[in-house]
Amino acid sequence: MLSNDILNALKTYTANMTTGVTLALQTGDHPKRNELKEFLTQLCSVSDNLVLEERDAGLRSPITFALEVNGAYNGISFSGIPAGHEFNSLVLALLHSSGTALKLDDTLANLVKAIDDTLHFEVFISLSCHNCPDVVQSLNQFALLNDGISSEMIDGGLYPQLIDDRNIQGVPSVYLNGELFANGKIDTAQLVEKLIQRYPYIVDAGNKEQLPLQDVTVIGGGPAGVAAAIYAARKGLNVTMVADRIGGQVKDTVGIENLISVSKTTGTELTGNMLAHMNDYEITKKEHVSVANIEKPEAGSKAPKKLHLSSGEVIETRTIIVATGAKWRELGVPGEKENIGSGVAYCPHCDGPFFKGKDVAVIGGGNSGIEAALDLAGMVNHVTVFEFLPELKADRVLVEKAEAHDKITIIKNAATKEIVAENGKVVGLDYINRDTDEVVRQDLAGVFVQIGLVPNSSFMEGVVERTQHGEIKVDEKCQTSESGIFAAGDVTTVPYKQIVIAMGEGAKASLSAFDYLIRE
């Protein structure tokens, strides 16, 4: 199952393990158990510090295994075969269990350690989901930080009855102590914020050691934010980046073929390269947190600006560069938010496998919508594309492919009215035929929304001027309406939301901030 190249790489990764880790595999019969046992046997062969034991450990099923250190369960378990995107989750769990440093900074680690309740997380995943590993890896780290926390990865494809019982139709789907905690695309920052909301007392436990006054604070870790941080650091400035995750929206992009000088890459690879480049410079990174609000000095004052973070920290800074990008735009119709993860989805690649053999809809006839339809057509029974306008907006080459596909139907001039659900699952969609004003019901099991992006700028309300669509207004130097606050990338009014453009705008914003600082 594991190639020689992977096994050799694992030998390198595990060479510095100082603490032994036991993989306790639950006994019993299951069609997939021999495959899992072979997988774990190969894995453990790379290091004397990895041991596989088969016994009745009281785990979920015969295809569940738990990690133990010094004879004790450390809170991490896997139900299924963590291959595909989840293989990294397993490898990291083993390394972190043996003492490799965790990715969370001290402030977030202290927040998690302060929780004094017993928490058991169940993370339902799909092995094809590229968002799921971030959630699994974050919760595994939480388990290692706090003895009262445990985390179990569950491959939904191997537990169909459990998936049906909980009406799960999207991943990742996170349950806490048996109740739904989060579903759909979610990152570490949002998990931490949810924990703070549930256990507000933990904020007092964070490390509130104040950073020195910063010259530039970059908000956002996508291409624009990374470019801004690097350019500022190269000028010798004190730079801090605040980001819910490094990579931003790019991290979710499967294939990238229009970044000049790089003929082909992936979002994951580009994110790794951007992080590596940032690590060449002294940039303070506050990852997995967000900015709650910004405190501006009084007009005419040269006092620094104050950023209040979701972790309770406060950063004082002379300039700010906002590069928070954008997120998927919602339809805003009844039945949408209520059924996210139960038939309403935004990531065809992640959630498409849950609709195998079923009929689904894609809302949106632009490039993303038609690409989603073509992607889904290889997994589901049939795809119906709904476009609001009389004609599709996608590139002609994509439209021709969709029109020629026998599993894709395109309905134009259609306004989505409501997403209909019964017993917790989507069963149909009501749309208005804009030619006749007739309301039509389309029976289906899932709705994939692909209608563009909305800027992540709500936290800037009242701080700088924005358009009616939420874009931050900037001039040719990326200066906003507020002196000393700059913005770059998809969050701004700059047209054409492309990676290469965002990088250029980030660099420009940083140079403008430097010019502002030397003149002030």
Side-chain angles (χ1 to χ4, degrees), residues 284-336:
T284 300
K285 291 181 285 293
K286 292 287 182 181
E287 193 178 4
H288 309 314
V289 296
S290 59
V291 175
N293 67 283
I294 294 175
E295 210 178 313
K296 298 187 299 184
E298 295 182 2
S301 171
K302 294 189 179 296
K305 301 162 179 61
K306 293 183 179 180
L307 280 68
H308 295 262
L309 308 187
S310 57
S311 59
E313 299 168 274
V314 178
I315 296 176
E316 294 190 349
T317 184
R318 298 170 68 194
T319 63
I320 296 171
I321 298 175
V322 182
T324 43
K327 60 185 176 184
W328 293 115
R329 186 182 298 277
E330 297 176 352
L331 281 168
V333 300
E336 180 183 20

Side-chain angles (χ1 to χ4, degrees), residues 56-73:
D56 183 2
L59 301 176
R60 181 180 297 277
S61 79
I63 52 170
T64 300
F65 65 95
L67 305 190
E68 298 177 350
V69 177
N70 297 324
Y73 171 52

Side-chain angles (χ1 to χ4, degrees), residues 247-260:
Q249 192 86 354
V250 160
K251 198 170 184 180
D252 300 329
T253 305
V254 178
I256 300 170
E257 299 179 0
N258 58 355
L259 182 59
I260 308 307

Side-chain angles (χ1 to χ4, degrees), residues 182-412:
N183 63 5
K185 181 182 172 184
I186 188 168
D187 54 35
T188 307
Q190 292 168 306
L191 290 171
V192 171
E193 287 179 13
K194 283 181 173 290
L195 289 174
I196 291 174
Q197 291 170 7
R198 184 171 291 222
Y199 309 107
Y201 63 84
I202 66 176
V203 173
D204 295 333
N207 179 9
K208 300 301 191 305
E209 183 178 346
Q210 185 81 22
L211 285 173
L213 176 65
Q214 297 297 289
D215 295 314
V216 178
T217 298
V218 179
I219 308 174
V226 169
I230 289 173
Y231 264 70
R234 286 177 59 84
K235 291 293 187 182
L237 303 174
N238 288 330
V239 185
T240 289
M241 170 183 282
V242 178
D244 52 6
R245 59 175 183 162
I246 305 298
Q249 192 86 354
V250 160
K251 198 170 184 180
D252 300 329
T253 305
V254 178
I256 300 170
E257 299 179 0
N258 58 355
L259 182 59
I260 308 307
S261 84
V262 181
S263 60
K264 183 178 293 186
T265 186
T266 66
T268 302
E269 290 172 342
L270 180 56
T271 296
N273 290 338
M274 290 193 299
L275 180 58
H277 197 173
M278 273 204 301
N279 288 339
D280 290 339
Y281 302 93
E282 291 187 10
I283 298 171
T284 300
K285 291 181 285 293
K286 292 287 182 181
E287 193 178 4
H288 309 314
V289 296
S290 59
V291 175
N293 67 283
I294 294 175
E295 210 178 313
K296 298 187 299 184
E298 295 182 2
S301 171
K302 294 189 179 296
K305 301 162 179 61
K306 293 183 179 180
L307 280 68
H308 295 262
L309 308 187
S310 57
S311 59
E313 299 168 274
V314 178
I315 296 176
E316 294 190 349
T317 184
R318 298 170 68 194
T319 63
I320 296 171
I321 298 175
V322 182
T324 43
K327 60 185 176 184
W328 293 115
R329 186 182 298 277
E330 297 176 352
L331 281 168
V333 300
E336 180 183 20
K337 285 188 175 181
E338 301 93 320
N339 294 295
I340 293 176
S342 298
V344 175
Y346 299 86
C347 179
H349 184 73
C350 303
D351 298 337
F354 285 90
F355 298 89
K356 185 177 181 179
K358 299 179 180 180
D359 294 341
V360 303
V362 170
I363 312 299
N367 283 346
S368 60
I370 301 303
E371 287 172 353
L374 291 167
D375 187 14
L376 289 165
M379 295 180 268
V380 305
N381 180 59
H382 195 82
V383 183
T384 303
V385 177
F386 291 90
E387 166 55 43
F388 182 80
L389 297 175
E391 297 297 332
L392 299 178
K393 303 182 292 293
D395 294 342
R396 190 65 224 165
V397 63
L398 294 174
V399 173
E400 289 173 354
K401 286 183 180 180
E403 290 176 337
H405 204 297
D406 59 1
K407 294 178 70 174
I408 297 176
T409 298
I410 299 171
I411 299 178
K412 306 171 188 176

Side-chain angles (χ1 to χ4, degrees), residues 24-297:
L25 175 60
Q26 179 66 29
T27 53
D29 294 323
H30 189 282
K32 284 283 188 178
R33 191 174 188 280
N34 286 338
E35 184 180 343
L36 174 59
K37 181 180 176 180
E38 180 185 353
F39 173 85
L40 297 178
T41 300
Q42 283 188 291
L43 180 69
C44 291
S45 70
V46 303
S47 172
D48 292 338
N49 281 310
L50 295 175
V51 177
L52 174 63
E53 292 185 2
E54 299 179 74
R55 63 174 184 270
D56 183 2
L59 301 176
R60 181 180 297 277
S61 79
I63 52 170
T64 300
F65 65 95
L67 305 190
E68 298 177 350
V69 177
N70 297 324
Y73 171 52
N74 70 354
I76 298 175
S77 60
F78 296 83
S79 287
I81 304 172
H85 290 293
E86 291 301 340
F87 184 65
N88 285 343
S89 298
L90 173 58
V91 173
L92 285 172
L94 294 172
L95 296 178
H96 290 153
S97 296
S98 70
T100 299
L102 303 182
K103 293 180 179 180
L104 295 179
D105 69 20
D106 290 342
T107 299
L108 295 187
N110 288 336
L111 293 175
V112 173
K113 290 177 182 177
I115 298 173
D116 59 12
D117 288 52
T118 299
L119 311 183
H120 175 58
F121 289 101
E122 299 166 295
V123 191
F124 291 86
I125 62 94
S126 164
L127 294 180
S128 64
C129 171
H130 52 271
N131 292 322
C132 295
D134 287 344
V135 179
V136 173
Q137 291 164 25
S138 295
L139 293 176
N140 285 348
Q141 290 185 80
F142 293 178
L144 292 173
L145 286 166
N146 189 320
D147 292 339
I149 298 177
S150 58
S151 177
E152 177 185 7
M153 183 219 79
I154 303 173
D155 180 0
L158 298 181
Y159 294 87
Q161 187 59 55
L162 187 56
I163 293 294
D164 287 342
D165 291 344
R166 301 203 188 181
N167 290 329
I168 295 173
Q169 290 185 299
V171 290
S173 187
V174 182
Y175 280 74
L176 171 57
N177 296 340
E179 296 182 355
L180 185 63
F181 180 72
N183 63 5
K185 181 182 172 184
I186 188 168
D187 54 35
T188 307
Q190 292 168 306
L191 290 171
V192 171
E193 287 179 13
K194 283 181 173 290
L195 289 174
I196 291 174
Q197 291 170 7
R198 184 171 291 222
Y199 309 107
Y201 63 84
I202 66 176
V203 173
D204 295 333
N207 179 9
K208 300 301 191 305
E209 183 178 346
Q210 185 81 22
L211 285 173
L213 176 65
Q214 297 297 289
D215 295 314
V216 178
T217 298
V218 179
I219 308 174
V226 169
I230 289 173
Y231 264 70
R234 286 177 59 84
K235 291 293 187 182
L237 303 174
N238 288 330
V239 185
T240 289
M241 170 183 282
V242 178
D244 52 6
R245 59 175 183 162
I246 305 298
Q249 192 86 354
V250 160
K251 198 170 184 180
D252 300 329
T253 305
V254 178
I256 300 170
E257 299 179 0
N258 58 355
L259 182 59
I260 308 307
S261 84
V262 181
S263 60
K264 183 178 293 186
T265 186
T266 66
T268 302
E269 290 172 342
L270 180 56
T271 296
N273 290 338
M274 290 193 299
L275 180 58
H277 197 173
M278 273 204 301
N279 288 339
D280 290 339
Y281 302 93
E282 291 187 10
I283 298 171
T284 300
K285 291 181 285 293
K286 292 287 182 181
E287 193 178 4
H288 309 314
V289 296
S290 59
V291 175
N293 67 283
I294 294 175
E295 210 178 313
K296 298 187 299 184

